[in-house]
Structure formats: C-alpha cells, structure tokens
Amino acid sequence: MPDDNWLSAIKFDEDGLVPAIAQDRDSGRVLMVGWMNRQSLATTVESGLATYWSRSRAALWRKGEQSGHFQQVHEVQLDCDGDVLILKITQGGGIACHTGRESCFFRILRDGEWVTVDPVIRDPQEIYGDD
Amino acid sequence: MPDDNWLSAIKFDEDGLVPAIAQDRDSGRVLMVGWMNRQSLATTVESGLATYWSRSRAALWRKGEQSGHFQQVHEVQLDCDGDVLILKITQGGGIACHTGRESCFFRILRDGEWVTVDPVIRDPQEIYGDD
C-alpha cells in the first residue's frame, strides 16, 4: 500500500478540489491555475507531469495531452491552510495558455481597462487543430 | 457614475468570488492566495491596498488591518478565463502568513512528506495578541 499520508494534509473543497498554481521554476512567472482532485495530484507526483482535473470535462487532464506542451513538475508547495498548491514547473514549448501565449495571465489592469501585454507565440489552431 | 466596465470581464463563481494570488513584485514569490468579491476588488483598486473577502468571517478584510502588514498593490493581472487574479504587491513587514512567515507556502513535498522550509519571522502572538 503506498504511503499517501501527505495527501491527507490537503483540504479539498466540497467538490473534492483545490486550486494549483503552475509557476515557472526559473522566472517565477505564474503561468496558469488549474484544479486538482486527490487522484490528479497523486498522478502528478507519481508521473512528474502536471495532471489537473478538468471541471468542464469532468475528467483527468494531463496538461499537454493535446498540445504536446507538458509541464514537468520539480516541486509541490502547500499553503498554511492546506487548500492551495503551487507547482514549480518547466513549461514544455514555453506555452501554457490555450490562447498560444506563455502565460494565461496576459491581461493587466491599466486606467480602468484590461490591456493585453503578451504576444501569441503560436496560433492555437496550429496547436490544437480545427476541432 | 464610475466606469467599472473592467469588473464585468471577471467571472465570479456561484458565491461571487474569485481567487487572488498575491505575488511579491520584486522576488516573484507567491505569498498567499485570498478570495475577492466584486466589492473587495473595487476597493483594492481604489485604495491600492489588497482587500479580500474573508469567507470565514463573511466580511471585507483589508489585509494588515490587524497585523499592520498591509499589501501595497502595484498591478492587477487577469487570466484568460477571467476567473483568477494576480496582485503584484509589496508586503508590509515582509510577513504575509498568519503563522508569522514570509509566505503561506512554507511547506514543500519531499519524499512523501511535507517539510517546512521557512522560518517564523515574528511570533504570531506578538503580531495578533492573545485573542
């Protein structure tokens, strides 16, 4: 029986989920936030590849399974309340966002407007195809 | 009437909340994650001081109101889905965590155990008193 005591320190919400912040290990940039349940976190730690829970598809989702942009996980951090995770990662392809940008956080509030500050590195249609 | 169109880009959840990641502007370290509703975010942007929604107290919570450790907000970022915020901040007192540590993310998973890697900078009893 695998020792998974460490999982019991995590306070999953009423849906069995916690937010997981994917942060570039080298630059410190926050690239995306996904959700994890117990199984996706265990899979992430076992495999070393970030595996989230897709709330829209209600399924395990290994980041990169469609795009090829996997996330190699170097470290997992837990906060004081046990209800938020940080993954220190290396982002395959340098693209975390489904819009083809490095980070999902590409909008900054300036004078009451959201300004897009990051370029699209690769056309999402090229990454994901037409479907 | 103030122009708050920018607020309508945000997809608050069924409880009217979004997670807000407080990240040190200079070091890039993630210090804490709080929750914000529409009012707390508007107050944050107006005042320049991070103001969360306390789910346990069901009240606006200006970070630092008890500890004196306010968070000066330099920038607000929004993700592609419009449901997660990043605040680039300067942390007053250098302590974001109620345990007296710099960051709430002071535990790292190592060989199946959570290891505390950050020192307590100031005793929480000194910060918050006995009550």
Side-chain angles (χ1 to χ4, degrees):
Chain A
M1 198 174 108
D3 179 8
D4 58 2
N5 268 347
W6 61 275
L7 276 166
S8 60
I10 297 167
K11 298 200 187 89
F12 296 98
D13 70 11
E14 64 268 25
D15 297 318
L17 301 172
V18 289
I21 301 166
Q23 184 178 26
D24 185 283
R25 179 179 63 168
D26 296 323
S27 72
R29 185 165 189 190
V30 174
L31 302 183
M32 60 172 279
V33 173
W35 291 82
M36 289 193 165
N37 63 9
R38 196 179 167 92
Q39 189 190 357
S40 71
L41 177 56
T43 302
T44 296
V45 170
E46 260 175 47
S47 66
L49 294 174
T51 307
Y52 302 95
W53 178 256
S54 166
R55 293 180 298 174
S56 56
R57 293 189 288 115
L60 279 188
W61 161 48
R62 175 163 291 177
K63 172 72 182 166
E65 63 190 12
Q66 287 184 60
S67 62
H69 299 155
F70 296 98
Q71 294 179 337
Q72 187 187 351
V73 177
H74 304 288
E75 194 172 279
V76 181
Q77 302 178 344
L78 181 63
D79 76 341
C80 52
D81 295 327
D83 60 3
V84 184
L85 299 165
I86 294 175
L87 313 175
K88 292 296 191 88
I89 67 156
T90 298
Q91 175 62 57
I95 297 175
C97 187
H98 76 287
T99 65
R101 294 179 174 88
E102 179 191 11
S103 167
C104 295
F105 295 89
F106 56 80
R107 291 185 284 182
I108 294 181
L109 187 63
R110 283 191 188 146
D111 301 325
E113 290 191 6
W114 295 108
V115 179
T116 294
V117 295
D118 278 278
V120 172
I121 296 172
R122 195 169 160 215
D123 186 331
Q125 206 167 324
E126 278 182 31
I127 302 174
Y128 298 100
D130 286 329
D131 56 338
Chain B
M1 197 173 110
D3 179 9
D4 58 3
N5 269 346
W6 62 275
L7 276 166
S8 60
I10 298 168
K11 298 201 187 88
F12 296 98
D13 69 11
E14 64 268 26
D15 297 318
L17 301 173
V18 289
I21 300 166
Q23 184 178 28
D24 185 283
R25 178 178 65 168
D26 297 323
S27 72
R29 184 165 190 190
V30 174
L31 302 183
M32 60 173 278
V33 173
W35 292 83
M36 288 194 165
N37 63 9
R38 196 178 166 93
Q39 189 189 357
S40 71
L41 177 55
T43 302
T44 296
V45 170
E46 260 176 47
S47 66
L49 294 175
T51 307
Y52 302 94
W53 178 256
S54 166
R55 294 181 297 174
S56 55
R57 292 188 289 116
L60 279 186
W61 161 47
R62 175 163 291 176
K63 172 71 182 167
E65 64 190 11
Q66 288 181 60
S67 62
H69 299 156
F70 296 99
Q71 293 178 337
Q72 188 187 350
V73 177
H74 304 288
E75 194 171 280
V76 181
Q77 302 178 344
L78 181 64
D79 76 342
C80 53
D81 295 326
D83 60 4
V84 184
L85 299 165
I86 293 175
L87 313 175
K88 293 294 190 91
I89 66 157
T90 298
Q91 176 62 59
I95 297 174
C97 186
H98 76 287
T99 65
R101 293 179 174 88
E102 178 191 10
S103 166
C104 294
F105 295 89
F106 56 80
R107 289 184 286 181
I108 294 181
L109 187 63
R110 285 193 188 144
D111 301 324
E113 291 192 5
W114 295 108
V115 179
T116 294
V117 295
D118 278 280
V120 172
I121 296 172
R122 198 171 159 214
D123 185 333
Q125 205 166 324
E126 276 182 31
I127 302 174
Y128 297 101
D130 286 327
D131 58 335

